[in-house]
Amino acid sequence: MSVVELSRLQFGLTAMYHFLFVPLTLGLSILLAIMESIYVTTGRTIWRDMTRFWGVLFGINFALGVATGLTMEFEFGTNWAYYAHYVGDIFGAPLAIEGLMAFFLEATFIGMFFFGWNKLSRAQHLGATVLMALGTNLSALWILIANGWMQYPVGARFNVATMRMEITDFWAVVFNPVAQAKFVHTVSAGYVTGSMFVLSVSAFYLLRGRYRGLAVRSITVAASFGLASALSVVVLGDESGYMASLNQKMKVAAIEAMWQTQPAPASFTVIGIPNIQTHETDAAIHVPWVMGLIATRSISQPVEGIDNLVSEAELRIKSGMIAYGAMETLRRHPDDATARTAFDAHVNDLGYALLLKRYTPTVTNAGEDQIAAAALDTIPPVLPLFFSFRLMVLLGFYFIVLFGTMFVLASRREVEHYRWLLHVCLWSLPLPWIAAELGWVVAEVGRQPWTIDGVLPTFLSVSSVPAVDVWISIAGFVLFYSVLACVEVFLMVRTIRRGPENEPHPARPGLRAVAAE
Amino acid sequence: MTEYEILRLVWWAVLGVLLIGIAVMDGFDMGSAILLPFVGRTDMERRIVINTVGPVWEGNQVWLILGGGAIFAAWPAIYAVAFSGFYLAMLLLLLSLILRPVGFKYRSKLDGTNWRLAWDVALFLGGLVPALVFGVAFGNVLQGVPFRFDDTMRMTYEGSLFGLFNPFALLCGLVSVAMLTMHGATWLACKTEGAVQMRAQRAALLAALVLAVLFILGGIWAANLDGYVLQSFAGVDAASNPLNKQVGRAAGALMANYQAMPVTVAAPVLGVAGALVTAWLASLGRLRVLAWVSSALAIAGVIATAGVSLFPFLLPSSLDPVSSLMVWDASSSAMTLLVMTIATVIFLPIVLAYTGWVYRVLRGPVTAADIEADPHTSY
């Protein structure tokens, strides 16, 4: 395997691993703040015990989230050094501001959350919990501003003198519509994960007849918060899709396996088998109009298909070659006015010319067949996108139905009446994680072949390190991460089995629950 | 002075402040972890040591994360070269840093002796390895690092992991270990009582003296090393392109700034004086908070010494001196530096304010009674 493939493998593995812990941290932090608010306003100690119990699980999860987050920050430098130099002027700032504004808040007050119960007043402790939750969510905001810029690089421009992208409009980067949509979509997915975690563990207690008071109340909170979040995740997912259709047309076309442009309004392919050889989708089931409505929010605008977008990419590559040639001239003669005019006219396509570097290092001498091959490279892997997206959406609707049902039952105080539903809740535990990982695949595999959409190809972004070094680091991470995953799951399960500290373990499981009816 | 020149100087200083922040704040956690097997003999003593940093290590670690982020944002070329060039050393650093959070959090969740012993070893390594690697990295930067840029600004590095662990770099690594051990010991002396406190004070005395000796030795050695001399460059506010300059090498060049600007001698003097005052206060066994402060000042002096010796260089190249990165050609654009300055001016005081509040809430020593009162929340 090449250094590019190895680096992508490592980044994918470590990012997906890190993203096992992040959604739960996001969701549980808010749920803890809600539970503790109820404790402080009503003064009923069961809500404090609930906050402390879910807090212990939150802490076990948080430690690994922090530890694996370090890896992410290091990797941009260790494995993607050319990327780091090429876009650090824009990409680094949100990461640094995340540390200053959000992560300090989160990490400082998490210490107070655990160690402050006997040192702070009730209101002060609630304040610490709220600030911790606020820090967690602000942290996601800045990370997604950075990620949003990779998907839709606004407010920046290439500088010939420094051979890198430089910022022109900081506020455009911050208020990037793609970043804002992704932020709400991602934190909502985190809230769904936190709610499902609380729902499943509570369902487990009810099925065992243990800790009924804690479990019933937890289900009420989780079902209502989960329902609101699941609705938000689907609606904002749609917003994300709309934004992508404006800016990342190829990503949308690949997700839909839309090979040819359809007359407006385009139909939506519910399911089928995309054939990457023939550029057809076999055995497809279509729903008329829906795709056009989602992607363009109109019935008159067409949605562009993959084949058309490849032809457009060819034109952009040719335009980029002019920019590249002008750039070479400007580096030798910075005052050449003709080259400057040509460069300014074509600079937005410079990234497309870089796709040619795989075929010809000089770029400007590329032949038609090389241009055609580079244009085909702009198609991301259709199959994983097509299926990941559909499964993710299916899960999204499932969450709405499940949380909706539990919400109705909780408001009628009938949660314990349907044991089979409690089993469903228990076994649904892994689903939000699966949905979140699929979402990551759709967003980041859909960005290929670019690290920065239209600006910098992935294969150019890597560090010049020996492949053997990357093999060593992959082996190190796999070993370390596997051990830590086992330890984490072991501690989680053990803590859940032991249950909250302050509630006495009933001598005969089930009896106390029945007696309390 | 133009705006860009001022911003670059400001971010050179901020880089120093952040590195000092990492060493002072995250450093006492690491020092405490290094000392864990030595000042804590029984399980309860070790739990006391861990719980002195228990509520604050998460916040302290953000200094490290912020340091990484700020270098990425303000000095992207440094970030790219240092992180990819020192690839395997970075992996070592990262894996040992991953041990710390999980070690703190998981160690006391179970009662088994082997379980706790394993995590004690993990925590010790999680303190020692980062301290050593940071110092070794500085030692290499002072000597120059074998990298070069091509004309598309792609960097290639031609060193090896073992090449990093050369004698001078190892000496710097030991300086760093002694420094953080001293700092952790002064912290533990403030936050514990009885036997642990006595051992911590002895460790502080020993580590501070070792630091003073090794730091002076390192200075003498550095004075005889080949350093880098800037012969010509595009200007203090020119676009950040490292290939537009001429750089030569000369013996003793690391000392040039002290001759040109004698006031900068304050940095190494602070390093030595801080260490000696810490040793004296530790031997007194009183004024423990003051000992922690003087230890922090020693750290500031040691790190500032490295910065002043290199200036205007940040990361010289031994392979191709022209590729060396310096304050005037490795920074972000003026706009990014300005945005980052505004963000720092707004948020850093807020961070310092609530961090200060947290330490006030947590004031006073950690005792066995505290841990027994709350055995499950405590680490």
Side-chain angles (χ1 to χ4, degrees):
Chain A
M1 281 170 92
S2 68
V3 173
V4 182
E5 290 164 316
L6 288 168
S7 298
R8 285 189 64 196
L9 176 66
Q10 177 176 315
F11 197 89
L13 283 175
T14 51
M16 291 178 84
Y17 189 80
H18 177 55
F19 211 59
L20 290 175
F21 308 104
V22 174
L24 187 58
T25 302
L26 283 169
L28 274 183
S29 70
I30 301 274
L31 284 164
L32 291 174
I34 293 174
M35 291 177 189
E36 195 174 345
S37 301
I38 298 177
Y39 163 60
V40 171
T41 47
T42 66
R44 297 177 60 175
T45 52
I46 183 157
W47 289 95
R48 183 198 59 204
D49 298 342
M50 283 163 63
T51 311
R52 292 191 73 155
F53 171 65
W54 296 112
V56 173
L57 296 168
F58 174 78
I60 295 172
N61 177 70
F62 184 82
L64 266 183
V66 175
T68 55
L70 270 174
T71 309
M72 303 318 302
E73 198 194 36
F74 274 52
E75 269 178 328
F76 292 111
T78 51
N79 294 73
W80 305 96
Y82 196 67
Y83 170 97
H85 176 266
Y86 204 85
V87 298
D89 197 70
I90 306 104
F91 190 82
L95 296 191
I97 296 174
E98 186 259 352
L100 261 177
M101 180 180 170
F103 200 45
F104 257 126
L105 197 64
E106 176 185 7
T108 306
F109 285 102
I110 200 174
M112 287 291 95
F113 175 81
F114 286 108
F115 289 82
W117 288 106
N118 303 323
K119 293 191 168 73
L120 301 174
S121 72
R122 274 190 206 181
Q124 279 177 331
H125 192 279
L126 175 62
T129 310
V130 169
L131 288 173
M132 171 184 85
L134 178 70
T136 309
N137 284 270
L138 281 176
S139 177
L141 172 66
W142 286 101
I143 296 300
L144 286 162
I145 286 173
N147 178 263
W149 190 78
M150 296 169 78
Q151 316 285 349
Y152 182 40
V154 285
R157 199 187 142 80
F158 187 81
N159 183 347
V160 177
T162 54
M163 286 299 286
R164 67 181 183 193
M165 296 294 290
E166 291 184 357
I167 208 160
T168 54
D169 183 352
F170 178 69
W171 295 113
V173 175
V174 174
F175 294 109
N176 182 346
V178 173
Q180 301 299 325
K182 282 178 85 76
F183 166 64
V184 188
H185 180 62
T186 308
V187 293
S188 302
Y191 302 161
V192 168
T193 311
S195 303
M196 184 67 85
F197 180 78
V198 171
L199 182 68
S200 299
V201 175
S202 304
F204 169 76
Y205 286 151
L206 288 183
L207 285 169
R208 292 288 180 94
R210 291 167 64 189
Y211 316 120
R212 190 178 159 272
L214 175 139
V216 170
R217 286 175 180 81
S218 296
I219 286 182
T220 307
V221 175
S224 26
F225 187 57
L227 178 62
S229 311
L231 287 169
S232 155
V233 96
V234 172
V235 172
L236 270 304
D238 168 62
E239 180 72 16
S240 261
Y242 177 63
M243 287 301 161
S245 71
L246 296 180
N247 310 307
Q248 289 181 291
K249 293 187 169 138
M250 184 60 100
K251 183 194 258 182
V252 173
I255 287 171
E256 296 310 329
M258 232 176 72
W259 302 102
Q260 287 84 31
T261 304
Q262 288 186 18
S267 64
F268 178 76
T269 310
V270 179
I271 194 72
I273 304 163
N275 188 325
I276 52 175
Q277 258 79 47
T278 62
H279 283 202
E280 297 289 342
T281 303
D282 305 328
I285 302 170
H286 297 287
V287 183
W289 282 42
V290 172
M291 187 62 214
L293 287 173
I294 293 174
T296 66
R297 294 191 183 162
S298 81
I299 53 169
S300 53
Q301 284 169 276
V303 183
E304 284 181 90
I306 293 172
D307 292 344
N308 285 62
L309 292 167
V310 170
S311 313
E312 280 175 29
E314 280 194 29
L315 296 178
R316 293 195 69 177
I317 292 171
K318 286 174 186 166
S319 158
M321 287 164 70
I322 300 173
Y324 195 90
M327 179 187 80
E328 302 262 86
T329 312
L330 283 173
R331 275 166 57 201
R332 272 170 284 134
H333 312 287
D335 301 322
D336 189 321
T338 349
R340 176 59 65 186
T341 317
F343 182 77
D344 287 346
H346 295 276
V347 64
N348 288 336
D349 296 322
L350 182 65
Y352 279 81
L354 297 179
L355 288 169
L356 289 167
K357 289 224 170 192
R358 175 176 273 166
Y359 304 100
T360 164
T362 30
V363 175
T364 42
N365 66 351
E368 284 296 326
D369 50 336
Q370 289 169 321
I371 293 172
L376 275 179
D377 288 347
T378 58
I379 309 175
V382 173
L383 282 171
L385 290 177
F386 183 82
F387 290 112
S388 299
F389 179 76
R390 275 156 187 72
L391 190 49
M392 176 183 79
V393 172
L394 186 69
L395 287 170
F397 283 107
Y398 171 75
F399 297 142
I400 295 179
V401 173
L402 182 67
F403 283 120
T405 312
M406 294 312 288
F407 177 71
V408 171
L409 290 183
S411 47
R412 291 188 187 168
R413 301 179 185 278
E414 288 173 2
V415 169
E416 291 152 289
H417 294 191
Y418 304 92
R419 280 184 72 84
W420 65 271
L421 254 179
L422 294 176
H423 280 286
V424 171
C425 291
L426 175 60
W427 293 106
S428 296
L429 180 64
L431 298 181
W433 276 273
I434 294 173
E437 299 290 346
L438 290 172
W440 185 85
V441 167
V442 170
E444 311 308 324
V445 174
R447 196 190 65 237
Q448 299 304 326
W450 307 99
T451 41
I452 305 293
D453 192 80
V455 170
L456 184 66
T458 307
F459 71 90
L460 283 179
S461 307
V462 284
S463 306
S464 312
V465 291
V468 61
D469 285 13
V470 189
W471 274 117
I472 293 172
S473 58
I474 290 178
F477 283 121
V478 167
L479 185 75
F480 246 62
Y481 279 13
S482 306
V483 172
L484 290 178
C486 294
V487 173
E488 141 111 10
V489 170
F490 167 73
L491 285 176
M492 277 275 189
V493 170
R494 189 172 172 278
T495 311
I496 290 168
R497 284 189 185 280
R498 268 203 343 201
E501 290 161 40
N502 290 353
E503 255 180 79
H505 196 291
R508 291 170 62 186
L511 267 190
R512 204 162 135 261
V514 175
E517 285 296 315
Chain B
M1 281 170 111
T2 64
E3 183 190 314
Y4 202 10
E5 181 188 3
I6 294 169
L7 283 169
R8 281 169 162 164
L9 282 173
V10 164
W11 276 89
W12 178 74
V14 172
L15 177 65
V17 169
L18 286 173
L19 291 172
I20 292 167
I22 294 169
V24 168
M25 300 303 287
D26 215 14
F28 74 73
D29 301 1
M30 290 181 186
S32 302
I34 294 172
L35 289 166
L36 176 68
F38 308 106
V39 303
R41 305 258 163 95
T42 65
D43 181 60
M44 182 50 83
E45 287 178 354
R46 290 188 181 174
R47 286 190 79 173
I48 289 171
V49 169
I50 292 170
N51 278 283
T52 63
V53 294
V56 293
W57 67 265
E58 277 145 325
N60 291 341
Q61 180 162 275
V62 183
W63 283 94
L64 181 76
I65 292 166
L66 177 62
I71 295 174
F72 197 173
W75 307 100
I78 305 280
Y79 177 81
V81 172
F83 279 59
S84 67
F86 299 154
Y87 190 89
L88 290 178
M90 283 289 168
L91 178 71
L92 194 64
L93 176 68
L94 191 55
L95 294 182
S96 56
L97 284 173
I98 288 173
L99 285 175
R100 259 160 30 100
V102 279
F104 286 134
K105 200 85 202 172
Y106 294 173
R107 178 192 182 275
S108 300
K109 293 263 180 221
L110 296 189
D111 296 323
T113 318
N114 288 336
W115 169 272
R116 292 192 174 182
L117 196 64
W119 285 115
D120 288 347
V121 173
L123 282 171
F124 171 71
L125 291 176
L128 181 71
V129 175
L132 186 70
V133 172
F134 282 137
V136 167
F138 265 96
N140 281 284
V141 172
L142 287 166
Q143 297 172 89
V145 175
F147 70 93
R148 75 164 96 235
F149 286 105
D150 71 8
D151 61 352
T152 67
M153 298 306 293
R154 179 172 293 280
M155 187 278 293
T156 45
Y157 177 85
E158 294 180 13
S160 69
L161 177 64
F162 299 107
L164 291 178
F165 290 88
N166 55 67
F168 178 74
L170 278 173
L171 176 65
C172 295
L174 292 178
V175 166
S176 169
V177 171
M179 185 167 92
L180 299 191
T181 307
M182 164 189 79
H183 199 49
T186 59
W187 165 258
L188 290 177
C190 293
K191 296 292 288 183
T192 59
E193 292 174 337
V196 177
Q197 188 182 47
M198 293 301 296
R199 291 181 206 130
Q201 273 171 348
R202 253 177 285 147
L205 170 62
L206 184 66
L209 291 177
V210 170
L211 170 65
V213 171
L214 292 182
F215 182 59
I216 292 169
L217 260 178
I220 295 168
W221 195 334
N224 297 300
L225 282 177
D226 266 5
Y228 298 81
V229 184
L230 185 60
Q231 289 161 340
S232 71
F233 68 115
V236 290
D237 51 4
S240 284
N241 188 328
L243 298 179
N244 297 333
K245 63 175 177 297
Q246 292 298 316
V247 176
R249 298 177 62 132
L254 284 169
M255 298 296 129
N257 285 330
Y258 302 106
Q259 284 152 10
M261 206 178 181
V263 67
T264 54
V265 175
V269 167
L270 183 64
V272 177
L276 293 176
V277 170
T278 307
W280 174 61
L281 290 173
S283 70
L284 279 184
R286 286 185 292 113
L287 304 170
R288 296 183 196 95
V289 176
L290 202 61
W292 186 87
V293 172
S294 77
S295 164
L297 289 174
I299 289 175
V302 170
I303 292 176
T305 302
V308 169
S309 306
L310 282 166
F311 190 87
F313 293 100
L314 292 164
L315 185 54
S317 166
S318 56
L319 185 68
D320 174 34
V322 169
S323 292
S324 297
L325 296 171
M326 61 171 186
V327 176
W328 316 124
D329 64 16
S331 78
S332 285
S333 64
M335 188 185 281
T336 296
L337 292 182
L338 182 64
V339 166
M340 294 289 300
T341 306
I342 294 169
T344 309
V345 166
I346 295 174
F347 289 110
L348 199 57
I350 299 176
V351 169
L352 294 175
Y354 61 66
T355 306
W357 177 77
V358 163
Y359 280 85
R360 212 175 71 85
V361 169
L362 296 167
R363 67 188 175 277
V366 175
T367 61
D370 293 334
I371 292 170
E372 276 155 4
D374 201 358
H376 294 296
T377 309
S378 297
Y379 288 154

